Amino acid sequence: TTYGIAASVTSIVKSILFDENRIYPLSVNLNGHYGEDNIYVSVPTIINRNGAKEIVEINLTEDERMKFHESCEILRSISSDL
């Protein structure tokens, strides 16, 4: 596990340093993306030397969209209890 985490972080840092505009699953603040607002969730995101450049919205089925929304609601309820 340690090596996997290190490899992932190395890849992300390399993409930032070399301005590679690569897509990674990153936790970013959603503002209307995937129908969600004001929540940090891991979604496909293009990163470069300026940080998160663009959230990539993939097509979700209605079932996937519903489950994603349910997950966001669970995260909201947990964070409101903190």
Side-chain angles (χ1 to χ4, degrees):
T1 302
T2 304
Y3 297 111
I5 294 169
S8 295
V9 171
T10 300
S11 182
I12 291 170
V13 170
K14 181 179 171 244
S15 291
I16 293 169
L17 290 176
F18 295 106
D19 200 28
E20 294 180 332
N21 289 294
R22 293 189 61 191
I23 299 174
Y24 291 95
L26 301 173
S27 291
V28 292
N29 189 21
L30 300 184
N31 293 307
H33 301 90
Y34 294 97
E36 298 294 332
D37 283 303
N38 199 28
I39 186 164
Y40 284 84
V41 181
S42 183
V43 293
T45 307
I46 298 172
I47 61 170
N48 61 21
R49 71 173 52 147
N50 296 315
K53 176 183 175 184
E54 178 184 344
I55 294 172
V56 179
E57 284 199 62
I58 58 173
N59 293 325
L60 300 176
T61 65
E62 188 59 37
D63 186 53
E64 291 169 330
R65 190 169 288 279
M66 184 181 72
K67 289 178 180 177
F68 183 78
H69 176 72
E70 289 173 2
S71 295
C72 290
E73 288 302 315
I74 291 169
L75 290 172
R76 283 187 184 97
S77 70
I78 291 170
S79 65
S80 69
D81 291 340
L82 296 178

